[in-house]
Amino acid sequence: MDWKIRKAECGLKGELEVPPDKSISHRAVILGSIARGISTVKNFLSGEDCLRTLKAFRDMGVQIESAGGNIVVHGKGLSGLKRPSEALYAGNSGTTMRIMSGVAVGQNFDTRIEGDRSLTARPMGRIIEPLSQMGAEIVSADGKGHAPLEIKGGKKLTGINYVMPVASAQVKSCVLIAGLFASGKTTVQEPFRSRDHTERMMEFLNADIKRKGLTTEISGAKELTPKDIKIPADISSAAFFIIAALLIKDSRIVLRNVGLNPTRMGLINVLGRMGAKIRVFDPKDEVEPSGNLEIVYSELKAVVIEKEEIPLLIDEVPILVLAALRAEGETIVRGISELKVKETDRVKTIRENFRRLGAEIKESGEDMVISGNLKKLHGAEFDSFGDHRIAMTLAVAGLLATGESKIKDTECVQTSYPGFMEDLEKLRGI
Ligand code: S3P
């Protein structure tokens, strides 16, 4: 499916709630399935990625009912999952494959996990390495750390101290979850802070978990307590409308119930430094903090985004680059290597598409350098390359570009934001 988008002639207006958080939805299914008893998950994201996780746990014998945006997970406890009759399929979802591997290594049956073309090209060595240190046996199909993964069951796992070479919440979560099935304690130390949804949910479900600075320790063999889990709206999905409203004159919008976990606030913090007018109101301090955001058109100035900040806004970089093009001055994004191993190589797919817009984004070592003050963006034919966040970034770019733009290959938005175009049209008053 292609999208056709015309330049916005007037500001975005109105109020909406974007879909539920993808990362938290995955974790609710995964941890709910291995807790012992019934958990109700309120506001679950029925996007393709999370549905892959849900289906995989159903395939392993977990009863999961879904009704009106909520799901009820009949958790089986740490040792109650069943051997799936065929390979588990993670589709496009790195979170499904990586975190689910942490569960699979603790089972007494063999599991095979497959993914689509994009996922099959993404690095899985980063989970194979620590899981193998714990005593797991995982074979990657090509012997080079790529999916499909064959995971041997019935292995005795032992806790490890793992110092992570990259800041990745997926890797951290995978190791911590494997730690639930291991004897003794497992500690994970991150180089920089990444999203901590797994830690928060584990604490909430009464896991034996301790956190100190960048180190998290989990003790194995303790069953999780099922609970009601509430999921706020996804700040990574909100990001597209936040930036659209900041860049289109006369815009004023309100986004309700947005997840405001400090480890996901990188975008809001960076935009604050850029001079964005964003007001947080009615904050709720719960397991996962949330609040409403009011966003008003703003004149932005360039910033330097440091390497340590990247994990806190990793999925928002494509849309931030668009904001940087319009900002006064030169923006530098440091430490971009993790962007190259997402659903696409996002440095490449951003540069390729933005060139068509009339913007030359420079790559210099570990930095991306964006010259701002670009008043005129050219409508063109763009390609998402099957990456949902690139597709939605280009839709916002199309609102700023002259004439009509076409975006190819937009089915991928189903992974995180079914209904994106309808919501965009609502804010445009179309
Ligand atoms: C995610 C973590 C991030 C992010 C991804 C979701 C998660 O990946 O890019 O969209 O749910 O843990 P990494 O942990 O690999 O950086």
Side-chain angles (χ1 to χ4, degrees), residues 286-333:
E286 297 178 311
V287 178
E288 286 291 347
S290 60
N292 298 333
L293 299 179
E294 182 190 46
I295 304 108
V296 181
Y297 167 77
S298 308
E299 303 274 342
L300 300 180
K301 53 182 189 292
V303 273
V304 177
I305 303 174
E306 297 294 346
K307 193 172 174 187
E308 296 76 19
E309 293 183 275
I310 296 293
L312 311 177
L313 49 71
I314 182 82
D315 294 333
E316 287 72 81
V317 174
I319 191 70
L320 252 176
V321 171
L322 184 65
L325 282 181
R326 281 296 175 102
E328 185 73 37
E330 187 178 80
T331 290
I332 303 176
V333 185

Side-chain angles (χ1 to χ4, degrees), residues 21-24 26-27 49 94-96 98-99 122 126 164 166-173 194-195 197-198 236 264 310-311 313-316 338 341-343 346 388-389:
D21 190 278
K22 179 158 82 69
S23 292
I24 306 174
H26 281 295
R27 285 151 174 86
D49 276 12
T95 310
T96 307
R98 294 202 178 106
I99 306 191
R122 294 177 65 186
R126 52 179 62 193
M164 292 169 49
V166 284
S168 158
Q170 294 179 352
V171 175
K172 173 178 62 175
S173 303
S194 66
R195 66 191 67 189
H197 306 301
T198 303
S236 299
R264 296 285 295 282
I310 296 293
L313 49 71
I314 182 82
D315 294 333
E316 287 72 81
E338 278 299 296
V341 290
K342 293 296 172 191
E343 286 81 332
R346 287 188 176 152
H388 55 138
R389 302 212 193 270

Side-chain angles (χ1 to χ4, degrees), residues 139-414:
V139 178
S140 95
D142 65 353
K144 293 187 193 145
H146 295 112
L149 303 178
E150 302 273 1
I151 301 178
K152 273 264 167 265
K155 295 281 167 188
K156 205 178 137 6
L157 304 182
T158 314
I160 54 165
N161 297 321
Y162 189 59
V163 179
M164 292 169 49
V166 284
S168 158
Q170 294 179 352
V171 175
K172 173 178 62 175
S173 303
C174 167
V175 177
L176 288 174
I177 289 178
L180 291 172
F181 300 95
S183 60
K185 295 184 192 314
T186 298
T187 62
V188 183
Q189 191 189 322
E190 327 184 62
F192 318 119
R193 188 159 317 285
S194 66
R195 66 191 67 189
D196 68 353
H197 306 301
T198 303
E199 297 91 307
R200 282 172 185 259
M201 202 177 287
M202 281 180 156
E203 270 162 8
F204 181 56
L205 304 183
N206 298 331
D208 200 348
I209 181 169
K210 291 195 190 83
R211 302 168 66 184
K212 196 167 174 217
L214 295 173
T215 304
T216 308
E217 177 189 286
I218 183 100
S219 299
K222 182 171 182 252
E223 292 286 351
L224 302 177
T225 313
K227 296 230 177 120
D228 286 356
I229 299 168
K230 254 172 73 183
I231 304 182
D234 198 325
I235 193 163
S236 299
S237 297
F240 301 103
F241 300 140
I242 294 174
I243 304 261
L246 290 172
L247 298 182
I248 301 169
K249 271 213 170 87
D250 295 329
S251 295
R252 176 183 295 269
I253 62 168
V254 169
L255 301 175
R256 289 189 308 268
N257 188 34
V258 180
L260 299 177
N261 177 319
T263 60
R264 296 285 295 282
M265 289 288 276
L267 172 80
I268 305 291
N269 295 335
V270 166
L271 288 172
R273 301 207 299 271
M274 294 176 85
K277 293 181 202 140
I278 301 176
R279 181 170 71 92
V280 178
F281 62 104
D282 293 343
K284 285 203 195 95
D285 192 16
E286 297 178 311
V287 178
E288 286 291 347
S290 60
N292 298 333
L293 299 179
E294 182 190 46
I295 304 108
V296 181
Y297 167 77
S298 308
E299 303 274 342
L300 300 180
K301 53 182 189 292
V303 273
V304 177
I305 303 174
E306 297 294 346
K307 193 172 174 187
E308 296 76 19
E309 293 183 275
I310 296 293
L312 311 177
L313 49 71
I314 182 82
D315 294 333
E316 287 72 81
V317 174
I319 191 70
L320 252 176
V321 171
L322 184 65
L325 282 181
R326 281 296 175 102
E328 185 73 37
E330 187 178 80
T331 290
I332 303 176
V333 185
R334 298 204 198 281
I336 55 172
S337 54
E338 278 299 296
L339 284 174
K340 299 183 178 180
V341 290
K342 293 296 172 191
E343 286 81 332
T344 55
D345 173 345
R346 287 188 176 152
V347 175
K348 212 163 137 190
T349 49
I350 291 170
R351 293 183 75 207
E352 167 63 33
N353 279 297
F354 281 28
R355 192 170 295 134
R356 299 181 200 179
L357 258 186
E360 204 51 55
I361 313 283
K362 288 187 232 80
E363 186 184 349
S364 158
E366 277 278 283
D367 297 347
M368 197 152 55
V369 181
I370 305 126
S371 303
N373 312 316
L374 194 62
K375 296 282 175 282
K376 191 157 182 183
L377 301 175
H378 301 281
E381 185 168 316
F382 301 111
D383 195 336
S384 77
F385 297 103
D387 184 332
H388 55 138
R389 302 212 193 270
I390 298 294
M392 292 185 274
T393 296
L394 294 170
V396 178
L399 298 176
L400 300 164
T402 51
E404 188 175 79
S405 296
K406 183 170 159 189
I407 301 147
K408 274 171 42 191
D409 198 1
T410 60
E411 288 83 5
C412 50
V413 299
Q414 296 299 326

